[in-house]
Amino acid sequence: MILQAENSYICNKAIVSGSSYTVDQAISEAQSSWSKTGGKALEDWYKKWYQENKDKWVFSKDIYSMKVE
């Protein structure tokens, strides 16, 4: 939740600051924030989970092909 609030602040800052705070600066700051708050570890956890569970999980695309009897 903190990361989401920080990224919202970064995006808003880029929107209202004009040329004094560029989109490139905002992207760089958001990526730095992601790294500092454990974003890579989160990505790795989801990748591992997906690899271990992709055959067991029901994805939304699968729901549409199911037949209900």
Side-chain angles (χ1 to χ4, degrees), residues 3-67:
L3 181 61
Q4 183 180 7
E6 185 171 339
N7 281 341
S8 290
Y9 169 77
I10 292 168
C11 291
N12 290 338
K13 183 177 169 184
I15 292 167
V16 299
S17 296
S19 61
S20 66
Y21 186 73
T22 66
V23 173
D24 290 335
Q25 288 172 305
I27 291 170
S28 179
E29 189 174 343
Q31 289 172 334
S32 175
S33 176
W34 179 254
S35 296
K36 289 177 186 175
T37 58
K40 176 72 171 124
L42 181 64
E43 287 177 23
D44 291 343
W45 185 89
Y46 274 109
K47 285 178 187 176
K48 181 181 177 208
W49 181 91
Y50 178 77
Q51 289 303 318
E52 293 173 354
N53 295 287
K54 65 183 174 184
D55 297 330
K56 299 177 249 179
W57 185 255
V58 177
F59 293 95
S60 58
K61 67 179 180 64
D62 300 326
I63 294 172
Y64 295 108
S65 64
M66 291 180 180
K67 290 185 179 179

